[in-house]
Amino acid sequence: MEEMLTIFNHRVGLGYIIKLDSLDVARISVLAAKTSDSFDSTPLYANYIWPGSIVMADFIQENPYLVKNKQILELGAGTGLPSLVSCKLHASVVVCTDFPEPAVIENLSHLRKLNNCENMMVQSLEWGCDEHLEQLRNSTLDGKGFDVVLLAELLWKDTYKLHNELAKSVRMLCANNGVVL
């Protein structure tokens, strides 16, 4: 497949082009959130567009069957590029989540609108919170979880304390026959 990525600056934003079929393309604009990264000893890194999200977006684009007509959840979305690509490739619904930092959630909501992703919802989520996980799981069409859970570069040096909560979240939110990428 030909290179589809254009204009990348991991600190500011990027334009990403998706080949929808042989004749049609869609352009996605992604902007990094402006966060202070000063939360209770767990800094956020959502003010970057990380290479892992680009790799995940490329993988989804090369394998659109993974998301087409499926319920998609992205955890630790940051700028939400994989979620945006999933929307454009006809996921039935996409839920894009990140830590409940207003600047991050507002940025994701802005990107949803900017890219006309009507089938995408943005939610804050603290990994491992039983009440929030149950509500999110029950929000799926059959209440049995998401078909695909996206995890694109959401682990870093300071998240080792949260690995158990992340694993719990994935177990609870992914459908029994679901896929984790």
Side-chain angles (χ1 to χ4, degrees), residues 100-143:
E101 154 57 26
V104 175
I105 300 304
E106 288 168 14
N107 187 57
L108 287 168
S109 295
H110 169 73
L111 293 172
R112 176 193 163 275
K113 291 176 190 161
L114 178 68
N115 290 290
N116 298 312
C117 289
E118 299 298 320
N119 56 334
M120 181 171 136
M121 295 178 281
V122 174
Q123 284 190 243
S124 61
L125 178 67
E126 283 191 62
W127 300 337
C129 177
D130 288 331
E131 181 181 341
H132 294 138
L133 294 175
E134 191 170 324
Q135 286 175 342
L136 191 52
R137 183 179 177 90
N138 290 336
S139 74
T140 59
L141 297 176
D142 60 3

Side-chain angles (χ1 to χ4, degrees), residues 5 64 80 87 96 119 136 166 175:
L5 179 64
C87 286
C96 183
N119 56 334
L136 191 52
L166 174 60

Side-chain angles (χ1 to χ4, degrees), residues 11 34-39 42-48 101 104:
R11 185 73 173 157
K34 293 178 175 74
T35 64
S36 63
D37 289 340
S38 62
F39 300 94
T42 304
L44 301 177
Y45 296 97
N47 55 349
Y48 292 93
E101 154 57 26
V104 175

Side-chain angles (χ1 to χ4, degrees), residues 1-6 8 14-20 26 28 30 49-67 72 74 77 79-89 150-153 181:
M1 174 173 266
E2 64 187 79
E3 184 67 27
M4 300 301 286
L5 179 64
T6 61
F8 172 65
L14 85 120
Y16 186 90
I17 297 174
I18 303 171
K19 189 172 184 178
L20 299 174
I28 293 177
V30 181
I49 300 165
W50 292 97
S53 69
I54 296 168
V55 170
M56 178 73 76
D58 289 346
F59 182 76
I60 293 167
Q61 184 176 186
E62 291 167 6
N63 300 281
Y65 69 91
L66 290 170
V67 298
I72 310 299
E74 184 176 6
T79 59
L81 180 60
S83 289
L84 295 165
V85 170
S86 296
C87 286
K88 295 297 184 182
L89 293 175
L150 303 175
L151 309 174
E153 203 160 346
L181 301 174

